[in-house]
Amino acid sequence: MKLHAIEAGNFKLDGGAMFGVVPKSLWSRTNPADADNMIDIAARCLLIEDGKRLILIDTGMGDKQSDKFFSYYHPWGDATLERSLKTKGFHPDDITDVFLTHLHFDHSGGCIKTAENGQKLLPSFKNATYWSNNDHWKWATQPNAREKASFLKENILPIEESGHLKFVEKGEKPYSFSEEMGFGILFVDGHTDKQMIPHITYKNKTVVFAADLLPTVGHLPLPYVMGFDTRPLLTLDEKERFLNKAADENFYLWLEHDAHNPIITVKHTEKGVRMDERFELEDFFDL
């Protein structure tokens, strides 16, 4: 098995929204804001190469939205999903599976592209199976008013229309997306209903794609919960259980949204679970 970091494009989000009720004087220590109160955000996807399978976890925002849409999110840097795949020696047609942690636009936007004639929306990965789960799909396609702006139908409905959509199911025991490659799933509900957090066995390590359960290093303290979370008190409980286990079992946490801390481990301290080691991608892959 090989892991590849796929940088799908950096952007900015409002720091207050990213940290909810936590004062700026506290969260800005780890996530400094610009003059408009915006903080750096990454869309660091993960590509798993294992035999004949190429599994891409999340896809970033994509590039089909309007200039007005992107003006809200201040894109920065030159990374794109397709360019990053090419740098790693892959083409979108090589992808066999697209695993979506959840269907918010900054995780699913790259799933769908506009056809060359501009008249039709098509899967960006024409040979891939797209994976969600039944409960989250219903949540996203029949959205509540609070999350409606995050579930864009142009990112979601064409997946089903293409015939490429399949669901994984939540059972009583932790679900394994691919038992032979050591790919398990933790289901969490605080941020959005039935978000899926992949746990991957890699070189005798457990790599956890943290998605929006832990967006950045700055979100390690338990009360530091995003204003976007639909059930913040549930996030507190889910994050506490997860971080304690991550510290106990020395998980390597792949931070999708942290623009400056790609992979970390955590440890128990008097203040709770905090960062232990930080790894650049090239350093981690050499371990």
Side-chain angles (χ1 to χ4, degrees):
M1 177 190 290
K2 293 183 180 179
L3 303 184
H4 306 274
I6 302 299
E7 305 287 353
N10 300 316
F11 56 102
K12 291 180 179 285
L13 285 175
D14 183 85
M18 283 296 290
F19 286 93
V21 300
V22 179
K24 182 178 180 180
S25 59
L26 296 179
W27 60 252
S28 61
R29 297 174 185 174
T30 55
N31 298 73
D34 63 18
D36 296 318
N37 210 48
M38 307 292 277
I39 65 173
D40 291 348
I41 298 292
R44 184 178 298 108
C45 306
L46 175 59
L47 183 66
I48 304 171
E49 182 182 5
D50 192 70
K52 295 182 179 180
R53 295 185 77 177
L54 273 176
I55 303 173
L56 179 64
I57 302 178
D58 283 353
T59 64
M61 285 191 187
D63 59 8
K64 65 183 176 298
Q65 304 298 333
S66 67
D67 290 342
K68 182 178 180 181
F69 175 90
F70 285 114
S71 72
Y72 301 141
Y73 302 104
H74 306 272
W76 57 278
D78 58 3
T80 67
L81 180 59
E82 189 165 347
R83 186 179 297 132
S84 187
L85 284 170
K86 184 177 180 180
T87 299
K88 302 297 181 181
F90 301 108
H91 186 275
D93 294 353
D94 298 329
I95 304 301
T96 62
D97 302 85
V98 176
F99 184 95
L100 296 163
T101 60
H102 60 298
L103 294 164
H104 287 166
F105 66 82
D106 55 323
H107 297 256
S108 67
C111 287
I112 300 298
K113 65 180 181 180
T114 305
E116 291 184 5
N117 61 14
Q119 301 299 312
K120 190 175 181 181
L121 295 173
L122 301 171
S124 300
F125 309 96
K126 67 178 185 180
N127 297 318
T129 298
Y130 287 73
W131 295 92
S132 182
N133 65 77
N134 186 64
D135 289 340
H136 183 67
W137 186 265
K138 289 180 180 178
W139 186 268
T141 55
Q142 303 170 35
N144 60 76
R146 191 165 184 268
E147 276 187 285
K148 188 175 182 179
S150 294
F151 291 126
L152 305 182
K153 61 182 181 180
E154 59 267 33
N155 293 336
I156 300 172
L157 298 183
I159 301 174
E160 185 174 35
E161 293 165 358
S162 72
H164 290 220
L165 176 66
K166 287 189 178 180
F167 293 146
V168 298
E169 299 297 336
K170 181 181 179 183
E172 293 181 1
K173 297 181 179 180
Y175 184 86
S176 177
F177 174 66
S178 178
E179 187 173 349
E180 65 272 14
M181 68 166 56
F183 187 134
I185 301 169
L186 170 68
F187 287 80
V188 290
D189 300 303
H191 177 61
T192 188
D193 201 59
K194 300 301 179 290
Q195 179 183 195
M196 299 189 289
I197 306 298
H199 289 50
I200 298 120
T201 302
Y202 170 73
K203 295 184 177 180
N204 296 316
K205 304 175 181 67
T206 299
V207 178
V208 180
F209 189 87
D212 281 344
L213 177 59
L214 186 71
T216 75
V217 165
H219 291 86
L220 281 169
L222 293 181
Y224 288 45
V225 173
M226 289 191 290
F228 301 112
D229 285 18
T230 59
R231 306 178 182 111
L233 295 181
L234 182 54
T235 295
L236 282 173
D237 291 339
E238 291 174 337
K239 191 164 69 166
E240 182 174 24
R241 290 194 299 271
F242 170 72
L243 289 176
N244 282 327
K245 187 172 185 179
D248 291 342
E249 300 185 19
N250 196 37
F251 290 169
Y252 289 78
L253 307 183
W254 184 286
L255 302 182
E256 181 176 13
H257 281 323
D258 194 317
H260 307 293
N261 299 285
I263 299 172
I264 65 169
T265 57
V266 293
K267 62 182 179 181
H268 295 288
T269 75
E270 292 181 355
K271 294 184 177 181
V273 175
R274 295 292 186 270
M275 183 169 68
D276 185 12
E277 293 186 87
R278 173 191 176 279
F279 299 90
E280 293 291 350
L281 293 165
E282 56 270 22
D283 296 333
F284 173 76
F285 292 140
D286 288 338
L287 288 177

